[in-house]
């Protein structure tokens, strides 16, 4: 799965974009607005939402690709999570990932995460059109 979070204003209006693949085929996508927050909050929310969908749909092994090096390193324990609400997000993501028989998380360059980025930005447009 490819995940991305976006925030306009940092903090400000936020969204998530997730593209879930089985092999080369995209089997599901998520593009939605979330509560206002920072980019880091949105990145954690995208990872959490993607893992929830995978678990609810019977996945046992998941590879997550994010262009947020910060979140990847925070998840792996290479960087500390200082903010209490992000620490809670990390705990939720760890609890979800521990329910899988296999979980790997990778940092990828933004160019390799274009679909998730597009989905995150699409959520802003959908919201603006309905306002």
């Amino acid at each position: 799965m490819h995940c991305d979070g976006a925030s306009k204003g940092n903090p400000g209006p936020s969204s998530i974009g997730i593209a879930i693949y089985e092999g080369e085929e995209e089997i599901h996508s998520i593009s939605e607005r979330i509560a206002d927050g920072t980019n880091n909050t949105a990145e954690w929310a995208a990872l959490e939402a993607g893992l929830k969908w995978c678990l609810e749909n019977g996945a046992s092994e998941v590879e997550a690709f994010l262009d947020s090096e910060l979140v990847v390193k925070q998840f792996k324990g290479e960087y500390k999570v200082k903010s209490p609400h992000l620490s809670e997000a990390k705990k939720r993501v760890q609890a979800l990932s521990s329910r899988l028989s296999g979980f790997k998380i990778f940092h990828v360059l933004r160019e390799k995460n274009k679909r998730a980025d597009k989905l995150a930005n699409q959520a802003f447009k959908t919201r603006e059109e309905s306002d």
Side-chain angles (χ1 to χ4, degrees):
M1 84 178 162
H2 285 257
C3 304
D4 199 17
S7 176
K8 298 198 185 269
N10 202 29
S14 299
S15 66
I16 58 173
I18 303 140
I20 300 170
Y21 296 87
E22 199 167 300
E24 297 293 315
E25 180 186 356
E26 183 177 314
I27 59 168
H28 187 69
S29 65
I30 300 169
S31 174
E32 63 185 47
R33 280 288 315 271
I34 59 170
D36 291 0
T38 64
N39 281 326
N40 202 18
T41 302
E43 295 281 0
W44 278 105
L47 181 56
E48 183 176 356
L51 283 171
K52 281 182 181 176
W53 189 92
C54 289
L55 284 163
E56 288 167 0
N57 289 277
S60 58
E61 296 186 8
V62 172
E63 291 182 340
F65 299 90
L66 292 81
D67 59 30
S68 172
E69 184 176 16
L70 177 62
V71 169
V72 172
K73 289 192 174 195
Q74 286 176 329
F75 178 85
K76 291 180 174 183
E78 295 173 32
Y79 289 169
K80 289 184 179 175
V81 180
K82 296 176 185 172
S83 170
H85 76 281
L86 293 178
S87 182
E88 289 302 313
K90 179 181 176 182
K91 287 177 188 172
R92 290 191 304 270
V93 167
Q94 286 175 320
L96 291 167
S97 64
S98 71
R99 293 171 47 198
L100 296 162
S101 61
F103 178 71
K104 294 180 182 174
I105 187 168
F106 303 95
H107 171 251
V108 294
L109 297 177
R110 186 164 288 158
E111 304 86 66
K112 301 282 185 183
N113 209 32
K114 284 184 180 179
R115 175 69 176 140
D117 178 69
K118 181 179 180 179
L119 289 164
N121 284 304
Q122 186 178 306
F124 288 117
K125 291 179 181 135
T126 304
R127 177 69 178 261
E128 289 166 1
E129 290 166 3
S130 66
D131 285 348

